[in-house]
Amino acid sequence: MVRTDSDGVKCEYPSQGTWTFGDIVLSSEFCSGNIGHVEAVDDEQTCFELRTSPDCAGQPFETNYRTWFYFSVSGAKKDQTLTFTVMNMNPQTKMFNQGMKPVYRLGSSAWDKWERIKDEVTYSCGEGRQFQIRFKFRFSSDSTVFFAFSYPYSFEDVKRKLDAIQDAVASKLGAKTSESAIYLERETLTYSLEGRRMEVLTITDYFGASSEREEEIENLFPEGKQRPLVFPEKKYFVLSARVHPGESPAQWMWDGAIDFLVNKEDPRAKALRRAFVFKVVPIINPDGVARGHYRADTQGLNLNRFYDAPDRTRHPTVWAIKELVVWLKGRTNLKFFVDLHAHATKRGCFCYANALPTYQEMIDNMMYARMIAINSAHFDFGSCVFSEKAMESKDRNGQSKEGSSRVGIYRATGLVHSMTVECNYNGGRVVNNKPPAATQDPRASPGETWRGPLPKFNTSIFRDVGKALMVAALDMEELNPWSRVPNSHSKSMAETREWVKSKLLSIDPYRQQILADKKAAQASKASNATEKTVKRQISLGKGGRTLQEVSTRNNVEKNSTPVLPGPVKPARFIRVNCSVKKEAVEEATGENAAGEEVAVEEAEEPRSPSSSEDVTEDQSSSKASEGFSEAQESESSDASEAMQRLVLQDALADKDINVLPRPPELPDIQTISRTSSGSMLHPPANWSLVGRIRHATSTSRIPTRAAARAVDENQRKPRASSLKSFTDLPPSASSKAFRATFAPHNRARQGEGRREQGGKVSRTEEVRGIGETLECRGFKNVLRPS
């Protein structure tokens, strides 16, 4: 009697049969089974040689893909030991050299636990690359035992899983329910060449659902059922698996992902359903899975080489999923396409992604892989491949990887996140320290730190990677309520992006782009700084400033325009040329060493620019020779002095400098010129903004050292070297702003001692009073108060 599967397809394949040896029965006659021939090699019938069946065996297009095996043994007695030699395999020396072992399961239930064989597994590779493995198994009971190359997940298992999910969700279309309820639709996307259904699930919640439904797509969804609702505000995520039938770890990743998506309690799953619509295709190659193939479909084709130009009649499943993705890209906000695979040679779980044209896109591309690694202890970011070479290389059969799912979908849609995720059948090379979730919620999963030897991969690890794929998408949108990113090495998404960006500096095209953008940013910053400086100069004035301009410096940014008194009379400043000998150094009392009076230069009064006339630098400098008359000086009142001090206090507020009121008994400021170099009413253009403010605010009527000494408590005429502390020194003189201004007393005395001995002081000092402060701008030998 010919066996048929749940889709009514007759299953009569050379790879599936039954062999009886006394009481012992070996069989591969079930979904996804594969053993082509069995022989007993001893008289006791305890040693058996089993030959795998190549994909499409006995057909004109038989292939050389022959690694997958899956069979059962029944009739063995308890504690009986049997020896099995599996022959006719593709060489898998590297994997078995790393400790690869087949798996077994007790019981006939598809959900019984699979484990790796505990006894030693030996392997050899004979003539003609004939690879074989040998292992022994001791039966603990007389029940049926299943053996397989790796953890199986058959076509019938997938159908049962989908039925269980649909029953658990129990969400009927059109039913009245809350927005947070799970929305699930199950459709047939197309049929395979043998007539099996390739299904697609739509998973989200009801939030944001419109009254419209998805359009009918020509030659897709042949059953004609009502299409799912449209969610215009959500992003879309396409997840597919099993284009290669023997890559069962991919199906276990899918299992972990879909179980997480329909979780009703986990807040991360709820957030995923709120933000995304998931289109999930469980099996792309249902015929190959049902037949027990390793890599090909029923025509002996590797379907993962036809995404660039699939044919609807020869590659119906690949054509259908590509049409679906292209349709979604054109009508929805499609963000992710992830195709799940397994790998026989490269260790670990990792991804193959595309080399994108700009480094910004590459950062996004790599960020998703990095988020998977943060959320899974077994995803190896260091093994991920993002090269252009991997997009164009050819396999042993000469077929280009330009026809692979990730490359074909990317070139058809331009999708940044188009990748394949791979898990090795056996194990990895690293285990990540998974950080704990940054939350106080006790339900959140803790962090993981691995101790001991590297683990062998199992279904739990595969499922965990599939779950991490979903959580990583949530992290990319920064919507994860239990995010592990704050406790990771990079601490934040922004720092993680910078870390990923640093990785791109080793790749030449992206390095050039990053450096070019950096130079452009620096140039833009410099341009903005220059423009800001010009605006500040205009606001402060080049030829003079008004009281309103100074006192409203901080209020301008707040669009405040208070009405204040008119122009401030510019005060004078002390300019000392120290490049003379001791006998030419006059004291600040206004007398020289011989008791002669020193001439005093008055600073000019700058002209404030009017609203209808611009004052140029030449025009301002042309006024430099004009001074204030004694009558103009006497016109200033105590009220204007108080206002000037208020302006000064406001201008220096950012520096925490307090300006005390001037003692009324002190005389007015004096301007002493040791040279004929003129005044410094216009500071050099290369001065900093702080220097300009200090220069401008030094126009306040503040006492000088000469005035301070004039009211010395002993009323004595000070000597040239007797620089002492000032009586009204500001309280904040010890603050940071004054540390560079005041030097220790002994240093001041040493400097003056050199002047008394006739030594020259090499550079010109600018001495401006702020309280009793003497400001020095980087000169070596200056007059310093004690």
Side-chain angles (χ1 to χ4, degrees):
M1 181 177 180
V2 178
R3 179 176 59 88
T4 59
D5 61 18
S6 59
D7 281 353
V9 179
K10 294 182 179 181
C11 303
E12 189 175 10
Y13 309 120
S15 58
Q16 297 174 355
T18 301
W19 299 263
T20 302
F21 303 90
D23 295 334
I24 298 176
V25 179
L26 287 81
S27 176
S28 61
E29 201 168 357
F30 47 81
C31 186
S32 296
N34 185 314
I35 283 294
H37 182 72
V38 179
E39 290 182 1
V41 294
D42 65 338
D43 295 338
E44 292 79 11
Q45 296 184 340
T46 58
C47 297
F48 300 93
E49 289 184 349
L50 303 89
R51 299 183 66 85
T52 63
S53 179
D55 295 356
C56 300
Q59 300 179 33
F61 27 80
E62 179 179 320
T63 74
N64 195 38
Y65 301 133
R66 42 185 175 80
T67 292
W68 177 258
F69 62 84
Y70 182 18
F71 64 94
S72 67
V73 178
S74 59
K77 296 179 173 56
K78 183 180 179 179
D79 296 330
Q80 185 178 8
T81 299
L82 300 180
T83 301
F84 302 97
T85 302
V86 182
M87 310 171 68
N88 194 39
M89 297 175 63
N90 292 130
Q92 304 292 352
T93 305
K94 183 176 181 180
M95 190 161 45
F96 280 91
N97 188 43
Q98 295 167 352
M100 170 71 176
K101 291 184 176 181
V103 297
Y104 74 96
R105 182 192 75 194
L106 297 175
S108 57
S109 173
W111 312 120
D112 288 337
K113 184 178 180 180
W114 287 90
E115 297 180 16
R116 292 192 182 271
I117 291 173
K118 296 177 174 58
D119 292 333
E120 181 184 7
V121 176
T122 61
Y123 64 93
S124 62
C125 190
E127 295 182 2
R129 295 172 59 85
Q130 293 295 314
F131 187 83
Q132 64 181 28
I133 62 171
R134 179 176 297 173
F135 60 91
K136 294 181 179 181
F137 186 83
R138 182 174 178 270
F139 289 78
S140 58
S141 67
D142 55 1
S143 60
T144 301
V145 179
F146 291 81
F147 300 90
F149 173 72
S150 185
Y151 302 94
Y153 209 127
S154 70
F155 174 74
E156 294 295 335
D157 292 340
V158 172
K159 297 289 289 293
R160 284 189 288 267
K161 179 73 173 184
L162 295 178
D163 291 340
I165 289 175
Q166 196 169 23
D167 293 341
V169 171
S171 178
K172 301 298 182 182
L173 193 63
K176 294 182 179 180
T177 182
S178 66
E179 288 185 338
S180 60
I182 299 175
Y183 178 86
L184 185 145
E185 286 288 347
R186 183 178 177 183
E187 301 176 280
T188 299
L189 182 60
T190 191
Y191 291 109
S192 67
L193 290 175
E194 290 191 330
R196 293 181 177 87
R197 288 184 290 175
M198 186 177 84
E199 298 186 272
V200 58
L201 300 182
T202 302
I203 302 175
T204 184
D205 64 13
Y206 282 88
F207 177 78
S210 69
S211 59
E212 299 179 358
R213 296 188 175 275
E214 293 181 7
E215 304 171 6
E216 297 289 338
I217 304 176
E218 187 178 359
N219 297 317
L220 293 181
F221 305 104
E223 293 182 352
K225 293 182 179 179
Q226 198 174 40
R227 298 300 316 286
L229 294 172
V230 174
F231 297 84
E233 301 301 323
K234 293 186 179 183
K235 299 177 176 63
Y236 279 68
F237 190 124
V238 176
L239 180 69
S240 64
R242 215 70 180 275
V243 70
H244 295 144
E247 296 179 356
S248 59
Q251 203 73 67
W252 287 104
M253 284 192 283
W254 167 86
D255 185 88
I258 196 170
D259 273 352
F260 184 71
L261 289 178
V262 297
N263 189 309
K264 297 180 180 179
E265 305 299 330
D266 196 308
R268 295 169 297 177
K270 294 178 181 179
L272 276 168
R273 294 192 296 269
R274 180 57 54 93
F276 287 94
V277 177
F278 293 89
K279 296 287 187 178
V280 182
V281 179
I283 300 179
I284 299 175
N285 189 352
D287 292 344
V289 173
R291 284 169 169 248
H293 287 184
Y294 177 54
R295 199 166 176 84
D297 71 343
T298 56
Q299 300 176 99
L301 300 176
N302 176 3
L303 292 179
N304 200 36
R305 295 295 180 268
F306 295 95
Y307 277 84
D308 54 345
D311 183 90
R312 188 169 69 88
T313 58
R314 296 192 63 207
H315 327 111
T317 56
V318 170
W319 179 87
I321 192 171
K322 184 177 180 181
E323 284 292 306
L324 175 64
V325 173
V326 172
W327 183 88
L328 289 171
K329 180 61 178 176
R331 291 166 177 79
T332 68
N333 186 8
L334 179 63
K335 297 292 288 186
F336 295 90
F337 171 80
V338 178
D339 193 22
L340 304 179
H341 289 254
H343 212 282
T345 56
K346 190 171 181 177
R347 289 189 294 170
C349 297
F350 54 94
C351 74
Y352 283 108
N354 299 309
L356 305 180
T358 67
Y359 80 88
Q360 294 92 342
E361 291 177 319
M362 277 302 297
I363 289 176
D364 285 342
N365 196 14
M366 297 172 68
M367 276 286 291
Y368 180 54
R370 181 59 181 164
M371 291 300 105
I372 302 172
I374 289 176
N375 287 284
S376 173
H378 302 281
F379 188 86
D380 186 358
F381 179 82
S383 292
C384 295
V385 180
F386 302 90
S387 69
E388 185 175 2
K389 180 180 178 181
M391 298 172 65
E392 301 172 350
S393 61
K394 295 183 179 181
D395 55 25
R396 294 177 180 176
N397 297 330
Q399 293 180 307
S400 173
K401 291 184 180 179
E402 291 179 309
S404 64
S405 59
R406 62 183 174 94
V407 179
I409 293 298
Y410 164 67
R411 290 184 172 164
T413 63
L415 199 60
V416 170
H417 301 297
S418 177
M419 62 175 59
T420 59
V421 176
E422 312 260 356
C423 275
N424 186 270
Y425 290 95
N426 181 46
R429 64 186 188 95
V430 297
V431 178
N432 305 323
N433 288 328
K434 187 163 69 172
T439 178
Q440 300 298 323
D441 195 325
R443 298 175 299 168
S445 55
E448 296 180 16
T449 301
W450 183 261
R451 297 283 190 273
L454 295 175
K456 297 298 180 184
F457 287 170
N458 53 34
T459 57
S460 297
I461 290 176
F462 297 143
R463 284 170 50 84
D464 178 75
V465 174
K467 175 182 174 181
L469 296 176
M470 304 293 99
V471 179
L474 200 59
D475 277 322
M476 289 295 293
E477 300 299 319
E478 299 189 50
L479 297 173
N480 190 350
W482 291 352
S483 177
R484 302 179 190 273
V485 176
N487 291 327
S488 67
H489 179 267
S490 298
K491 303 301 181 185
S492 68
M493 291 293 290
E495 290 186 25
T496 306
R497 293 184 72 86
E498 289 300 317
W499 181 83
V500 171
K501 184 177 178 180
S502 68
K503 299 292 183 183
L504 290 177
L505 288 173
S506 61
I507 306 175
D508 186 60
Y510 303 120
R511 174 183 173 83
Q512 294 176 1
Q513 293 180 22
I514 293 171
L515 295 179
D517 280 5
K518 185 177 181 180
K519 290 180 180 179
Q522 290 174 345
S524 176
K525 184 177 180 181
S527 176
N528 293 338
T530 303
E531 182 179 356
K532 188 175 182 182
T533 301
V534 171
K535 290 181 179 178
R536 289 285 182 93
Q537 289 173 347
I538 294 173
S539 65
L540 292 176
K542 289 186 178 181
R545 299 187 308 152
T546 65
L547 177 64
Q548 178 174 348
E549 289 172 336
V550 177
S551 63
T552 62
R553 180 174 61 87
N554 294 327
N555 293 332
V556 169
E557 297 176 358
K558 303 176 183 178
N559 298 322
S560 176
T561 56
V563 179
L564 294 174
V568 180
K569 180 182 70 174
R572 293 155 294 181
F573 62 93
I574 301 172
R575 179 178 178 83
V576 182
N577 187 344
C578 298
S579 60
V580 293
K581 293 186 178 181
K582 179 197 73 170
E583 58 269 17
V585 179
E586 292 85 4
E587 286 300 312
T589 57
E591 298 180 2
N592 59 15
E596 300 172 345
E597 186 176 351
V598 179
V600 176
E601 276 189 27
E602 301 287 344
E604 81 272 16
E605 179 178 13
R607 190 177 71 178
S608 300
S610 65
S611 59
S612 61
E613 180 182 2
D614 293 334
V615 179
T616 65
E617 194 168 344
D618 292 337
Q619 291 171 332
S620 298
S621 60
S622 67
K623 301 291 185 178
S625 60
E626 298 178 8
F628 290 104
S629 65
E630 294 296 326
Q632 288 174 316
E633 292 181 11
S634 63
E635 289 177 1
S636 61
S637 63
D638 292 338
S640 64
E641 281 190 346
M643 182 59 71
Q644 292 173 28
R645 287 184 171 277
L646 178 62
V647 173
L648 173 63
Q649 183 69 52
D650 183 57
L652 300 179
D654 293 340
K655 294 295 181 181
D656 295 328
I657 300 176
N658 297 322
V659 180
L660 297 179
R662 179 177 61 82
E665 67 275 9
L666 295 181
D668 197 1
I669 189 170
Q670 299 184 30
T671 303
I672 304 175
S673 176
R674 302 301 186 191
T675 68
S676 59
S677 59
S679 67
M680 282 271 302
L681 185 62
H682 306 290
N686 61 350
W687 276 23
S688 67
L689 180 61
V690 173
R692 291 178 176 277
I693 292 177
R694 286 183 176 177
H695 175 73
T697 55
S698 68
T699 60
S700 299
R701 299 171 65 83
I702 301 173
T704 63
R705 291 172 303 165
R709 283 194 292 272
V711 293
D712 187 82
E713 59 181 358
N714 296 325
Q715 296 295 320
R716 294 181 303 174
K717 183 176 180 180
R719 293 168 45 228
S721 62
S722 61
L723 294 178
K724 300 293 182 181
S725 300
F726 300 124
T727 56
D728 78 348
L729 190 67
S732 59
S734 62
S735 67
K736 182 178 180 181
F738 283 83
R739 285 177 199 152
T741 303
F742 288 93
H745 179 67
N746 60 342
R747 291 172 60 187
R749 288 185 178 276
Q750 293 170 6
E752 292 165 10
R754 289 196 297 273
R755 295 185 182 89
E756 289 176 353
Q757 298 171 10
K760 288 188 177 181
V761 184
S762 61
R763 302 185 68 174
T764 298
E765 311 299 330
E766 294 174 40
V767 183
R768 295 191 298 278
I770 299 180
E772 309 303 334
T773 305
L774 180 145
E775 179 174 339
C776 309
R777 294 191 173 276
F779 301 119
K780 294 182 179 179
N781 299 316
V782 297
L783 297 174
R784 293 184 174 91
S786 59

